[in-house]
């Protein structure tokens, strides 16, 4: 998984927008057996730019892979 879209509220101007985030620093943080396959949790970082005021900030999030090659449930943790 390399990118996903999320809803944001700009901390500077309050603009609400929907933006695509490219995943950087993707890192495997956990894995466990599930029905004979392996489920893996990844963390990522990304940068968001407000379309209204241009403020940029970093976000972090996580997503899962299961079964192998299928990515799902990307969500922001900060
Ligand atoms: Zn803004």
């Amino acid at each position: 998984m390399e990118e996903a879209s999320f809803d944001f509220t700009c901390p500077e101007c309050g603009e609400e927008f929907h933006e695509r985030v490219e995943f950087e620093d993707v890192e495997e943080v956990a894995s466990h057996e599930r029905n004979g396959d392996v489920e893996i949790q990844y963390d990522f970082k990304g940068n968001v730019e407000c379309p209204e005021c241009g403020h940029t900030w970093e976000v972090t999030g996580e997503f899962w892979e299961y079964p192998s090659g299928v990515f799902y449930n990307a969500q922001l943790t900060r």
Side-chain angles (χ1 to χ4, degrees):
M1 193 172 220
E2 295 175 349
E3 63 181 37
S5 295
F6 303 99
D7 291 318
F8 296 99
T9 301
C10 178
E12 289 292 321
C13 73
E15 175 79 0
E16 294 182 358
F17 59 100
H18 193 75
E19 185 64 80
R20 193 187 65 188
V21 175
E22 291 186 19
F23 296 172
E24 304 164 9
D25 298 332
V26 174
E27 191 174 347
E28 182 180 327
V29 292
S31 63
H32 62 266
E33 285 247 349
R34 179 173 164 184
N35 298 330
D37 207 332
V38 180
E39 185 174 50
I40 304 171
Q41 179 186 352
Y42 297 91
D43 279 358
F44 65 86
K45 291 180 181 172
N47 288 287
V48 185
E49 179 175 356
C50 175
E52 181 67 22
C53 72
H55 176 66
T56 61
W57 70 99
E58 186 182 83
V59 296
T60 60
E62 57 195 20
F63 63 89
W64 284 263
E65 177 180 5
Y66 176 85
S68 183
V70 178
F71 300 100
Y72 70 99
N73 202 26
Q75 55 186 282
L76 297 178
T77 53
R78 177 166 63 86

